[in-house]
Amino acid sequence: MARIISILSGKGGVGKTFTTASLGITLARSGLKVLLIDADMGLRNLDLILGLENDCFYHIVDLAEGRCSAKDAILRVEENLDFLAASQKDTWNHIFPAAIETVLEDVEDDYDFILIDCPAGIGEGIHFALTMADISLVVEAPSWASKRNAEKVISVLPKKMIYYRLLNQFDETDLSTLSFDEAMESIDSDMLAGVVPYVKQTGKAALQGELVQDDPKHVIWEAFRFVANTICKGKEYPLAKWKTLLHAGAEENKIFEKKSSYKEYNRPRLDWDPRRMAYKWRGRR
Ligand SMILES: Nc1ncnc2c1ncn2[C@@H]1O[C@H](COP(=O)(O)OP(=O)(O)O)[C@@H](O)[C@H]1O
Ligand SMILES: [Mg+2]
């Protein structure tokens, strides 16, 4: 039976969807069977990061309400990694959470891990994830607002929930954000899932729906391997280790900044298709 991880945050834009995809890719590449579920109803984005937006004909609400089979709705991302989209039309106010829970119960035996990309905040949408999850991962960016809101989310977690905090989008060269020490101030190291650097090149890959094709040598993937080991195997890394990753992330950003003046990085992503009289994505999967 799968272990279910809900990915939460107080503030939006801190990287829940990015984390769901990256952690999922990391676990799948270590040989585990993983299902990614987008539970951000009405504001779905995980399909875009995975480059699957043109393939989502059915979604989790269709599956819950019997309009399609699991085979129609669950898409293959790559070996060991599957994806189930959120509804773009329905919102959590109109969805019966028990129906969504049944979907999870039906697929649970097919996977080692199910990762749920939740909506931001403490609204309706996170309750189903919290009833089903074994572990919660609360994502926060290096700002006081994001930290305070993460702490609010933690305060509404069920008493027995195992949870971790993930510091994301860290750029040690950006003086406008919290420093590493400030961000760590209120975080108990037992609760720390990890510190993930802000890596521009991987961010760009995510933006273009090409996260799966991002170079596995990029530091982000090492960071997510450490995060996976912490959450799934109970490993603990010293803070110095995370700092080393942040430093490596900043170095990668420098190289990216230099290269991004070249055509290779700024190639246009859309082509005009005269037959269809519409733009089409170039180089999409
Ligand atoms: N560690 C990171 N490095 C680079 N880009 C990141 C990182 N984390 C998130 N991003 C980018 O930041 C933006 C917001 O992330 P997203 O996952 O959509 O946030 P959320 O789901 O919490 O609203 C996206 O464009 C995403 O690709
Ligand atoms: Mg999101």
Side-chain angles (χ1 to χ4, degrees):
M1 212 163 83
R3 282 166 81 195
I4 301 177
I5 306 179
S6 62
I7 290 101
L8 306 153
S9 78
K11 260 181 91 61
V14 296
K16 288 177 299 304
T17 303
F18 181 85
T19 297
T20 306
S22 305
L23 186 59
I25 292 169
T26 304
L27 290 168
R29 289 180 184 172
S30 76
L32 296 158
K33 293 185 126 223
V34 182
L35 173 65
L36 307 178
I37 295 184
D38 192 343
D40 201 351
M41 304 291 180
L43 296 170
R44 71 182 194 193
N45 280 330
L46 190 50
D47 55 328
L48 282 175
I49 282 193
L50 298 171
L52 290 174
E53 73 281 2
N54 293 332
D55 301 321
C56 296
F57 296 111
Y58 296 101
H59 50 69
I60 192 165
V61 181
D62 288 329
L63 186 55
E65 295 177 355
R67 284 190 290 277
C68 67
S69 68
K71 245 176 50 201
D72 300 323
I74 297 179
L75 304 176
R76 177 50 53 115
V77 182
E78 62 174 26
E79 197 186 352
N80 288 332
L81 187 63
D82 289 348
F83 167 62
L84 177 55
S87 167
Q88 184 73 320
K89 181 170 70 77
D90 310 277
T91 63
W92 274 108
N93 298 333
H94 305 105
I95 293 167
F96 189 43
I100 306 285
E101 285 169 31
T102 318
V103 169
L104 260 81
E105 281 158 12
D106 287 346
V107 298
E108 228 168 6
D109 288 339
D110 299 337
Y111 298 96
D112 298 304
F113 282 95
I114 296 177
L115 272 51
I116 307 176
D117 182 18
C118 293
I122 49 175
E124 205 46 46
I126 68 168
H127 294 300
F128 116 89
L130 294 184
T131 20
M132 301 300 290
D134 301 296
I135 301 171
S136 283
L137 183 60
V138 183
V139 183
E140 59 195 78
S143 76
W144 292 119
S146 167
K147 270 176 93 59
R148 184 169 69 174
N149 294 358
E151 276 153 26
K152 179 70 187 176
V153 171
I154 291 166
S155 75
V156 305
L157 296 178
K159 285 275 167 297
K160 287 190 183 151
M161 173 70 72
I162 299 170
Y163 76 87
Y164 290 93
R165 294 174 73 164
L166 181 77
L167 290 171
N168 185 36
Q169 297 176 332
F170 243 97
D171 177 355
E172 62 169 26
T173 64
D174 186 352
L175 302 178
S176 69
T177 63
L178 295 188
S179 69
F180 184 80
D181 294 332
E182 282 171 324
M184 285 303 298
E185 230 169 55
S186 63
I187 301 184
D188 184 345
S189 60
D190 292 350
M191 301 285 112
L192 182 69
V195 187
V196 176
Y198 186 79
V199 179
K200 292 185 182 176
Q201 196 166 336
T202 310
K204 185 146 189 182
L207 182 81
Q208 293 175 329
E210 293 171 350
L211 190 63
V212 173
Q213 288 102 308
D214 188 50
D215 187 343
K217 287 198 221 76
H218 285 156
V219 66
I220 208 102
W221 300 109
E222 187 166 18
F224 277 105
R225 275 194 295 278
F226 288 1
V227 171
N229 288 340
T230 309
I231 304 177
C232 308
K233 297 187 187 154
K235 258 191 123 161
E236 232 183 89
Y237 295 95
L239 292 186
K241 194 87 187 164
W242 298 112
K243 276 191 182 173
T244 313
L245 291 182
L246 294 185
H247 196 60
E251 290 301 310
E252 271 183 20
N253 285 344
K254 270 192 221 158
I255 297 168
F256 175 70
E257 289 290 338
K258 271 197 203 141
K259 277 187 183 167
S260 57
S261 57
Y262 292 130
K263 269 197 195 138
E264 181 196 344
Y265 283 94
N266 287 323
R267 67 189 190 277
R269 306 303 306 163
L270 291 172
D271 265 343
W272 178 249
D273 181 346
R275 271 191 312 137
R276 285 195 279 158
M277 295 292 281
Y279 283 107
K280 65 172 195 246
W281 283 98
R282 183 186 290 180
R284 300 287 277 195
R285 291 170 340 119

